[in-house]
Amino acid sequence: MTLQAAQKSADSSKALYGGKGTRRITVHDIAAAKERGEKWPMLTAYDAMTASVFDEAGIPVMLVGDSMGNTHLGYETTVPVTMDEMTLLSAAVVRGTRRALIIGDLPFGSYQEGPVQALRNATRLVKEAGVGAVKLEGGERSLPQTELIVQAGIPVVSHLGLTPQSVNTMGYRVQGRSDEAAHQLLKDAKAAQDAGAFAVVLEMVPAELAAEVTRSLHIPTVGIGAGAGTDAQVLVWTDMAGLTGGKVPRFTKQYANLRQTLGDAAKAFAEDVAGGAFPQEEHTFH
Ligand SMILES: Nc1nc(=O)c2c([nH]1)NC[C@@H]1CN(c3ccc(C(=O)N[C@@H](CCC(=O)O)C(=O)O)cc3)CN21
Ligand SMILES: CC(C)C(=O)C(=O)O
Ligand SMILES: [Mg+2]
């Protein structure tokens, strides 16, 4: 084996995606991936069953997003999601996985009051749900929160650009288009990094700006609607798999049509029951 080939195979055994490790991935593994220049995938997850599917597929990082408000709880926005809801579903995702790093989203109202509230709720997600990291929206505006949580030993992801918890002031629009807004986003990203965040999510920002932020930071950027220049990509899993009802954001790519598949299965079952074709002898006890 050439040295280059040996290095490549050593690298692939450590790779976040396609790697051979079975222990749980840590923030150190995430940092090492940026050093290697590895691009990696992240999906949201909201329950143990689905999370186990993604874990077995090799998805190295999962986010228990407050998008559960939209996808699983039937709210219009993420704003109503509570700590009780986040804790319940995060614990399920942790139980369903062995390898993935699980990040819990801090919901609206769980950290805005200040660093002490933020640390209390981050600690709850770590102790009661077992997440390996938490995420909160905002750069400079959430700096004291990020600093205190990191100082307590809990890894933090910062979420910049479109921050859906601010929908009532921000709407759902591309962020960072003006020079001033782009400059502020760069400042936010650097501030989050300086406060100790181990990654930055960039949602709905121009690709050129996301690439510039990615080059400017030593921690990885995770894009969603932020172009191809980020270190990682995240999607809401029900969007990616074609299960979400109604409109999905333009930045989503649909890799399956589970809504169709599941609806067809439900109709086939219903028709079998109505027509007496189910149950058969093999489904029956005597
Ligand atoms: N199912 C789901 N997918 C998500 O990506 C997602 C959630 N829920 N809930 C939390 C946030 C909210 N997000 C959103 C919500 C709406 C748009 C949206 O309406 N986008 C439009 C307009 C974009 C524009 O300004 O051009 C689009 O067509 O993409 C985008 C992201 C992303 N997150
Ligand atoms: C879209 C991602 C980044 C998120 O915050 C969520 O799913 O709640
Ligand atoms: Mg979120």
Side-chain angles (χ1 to χ4, degrees):
M1 203 190 284
T2 65
L3 182 59
Q4 210 178 15
Q7 273 170 348
K8 206 171 169 202
S9 95
D11 282 349
S12 92
S13 74
K14 281 190 286 188
L16 287 183
Y17 177 67
K20 294 175 182 70
T22 50
R23 63 161 174 78
R24 210 176 269 279
I25 286 163
T26 69
V27 292
H28 302 289
D29 301 315
I30 305 289
K34 176 121 185 176
E35 302 254 305
R36 291 194 299 271
E38 181 191 343
K39 290 195 173 200
W40 48 273
M42 170 163 137
L43 283 174
T44 64
Y46 313 100
D47 67 88
M49 179 176 52
T50 315
S52 75
V53 172
F54 300 152
D55 207 48
E56 285 163 23
I59 299 297
V61 186
M62 291 179 217
L63 170 70
V64 188
D66 60 351
S67 50
M68 68 172 64
N70 301 94
T71 59
H72 285 61
L73 302 177
Y75 301 137
E76 288 282 330
T77 69
T78 61
V79 169
V81 174
T82 66
M83 272 302 298
D84 283 351
E85 290 163 343
M86 276 302 315
T87 305
L88 184 74
L89 273 60
S90 299
V93 168
V94 170
R95 287 192 292 265
T97 53
R98 296 158 61 111
R99 179 168 182 265
L101 171 68
I102 309 303
I103 302 167
D105 234 354
L106 285 172
F108 181 63
S110 75
Y111 60 94
Q112 281 81 357
E113 285 174 28
V116 172
Q117 185 204 25
L119 178 57
R120 187 190 328 120
N121 286 313
T123 302
R124 184 174 172 205
L125 280 184
V126 171
K127 288 179 77 111
E128 292 181 30
V131 302
V134 299
K135 178 167 80 59
L136 48 73
E137 296 184 3
E140 287 192 328
R141 73 179 197 258
S142 301
L143 222 53
Q145 286 89 333
T146 303
E147 277 173 352
L148 193 66
I149 299 169
V150 171
Q151 278 166 24
I154 300 171
V156 173
V157 178
S158 165
H159 181 156
L160 305 175
L162 172 63
T163 49
Q165 292 174 11
S166 305
V167 59
N168 292 316
T169 50
M170 202 181 244
Y172 295 125
R173 275 185 295 275
V174 177
Q175 300 295 308
R177 278 206 197 275
S178 71
D179 285 351
E180 198 193 337
H183 182 70
Q184 182 61 45
L185 192 105
L186 259 165
K187 265 175 66 185
D188 281 332
K190 287 195 174 135
Q193 172 174 275
D194 291 344
F198 76 94
V200 172
V201 167
L202 300 175
E203 179 164 354
M204 285 237 281
V205 302
E208 298 74 18
L209 176 59
E212 189 184 349
V213 172
T214 303
R215 285 191 299 271
S216 307
L217 299 186
H218 58 75
I219 57 174
T221 56
V222 184
I224 174 162
T230 55
D231 297 296
Q233 296 287 333
V234 60
L235 285 176
V236 167
W237 91 256
T238 53
D239 297 345
M240 176 282 301
L243 185 58
T244 308
K247 262 194 76 176
V248 296
R250 179 164 84 84
F251 54 65
T252 291
K253 179 172 174 183
Q254 237 180 262
Y255 290 87
N257 193 346
L258 291 197
R259 205 172 175 85
Q260 176 86 42
T261 304
L262 199 51
D264 288 349
K267 281 185 205 159
F269 166 66
E271 279 161 30
D272 274 5
V273 170
F278 177 86
Q280 301 272 302
E281 200 45 40
E282 73 243 48
H283 311 118
T284 305
F285 305 98
H286 296 288

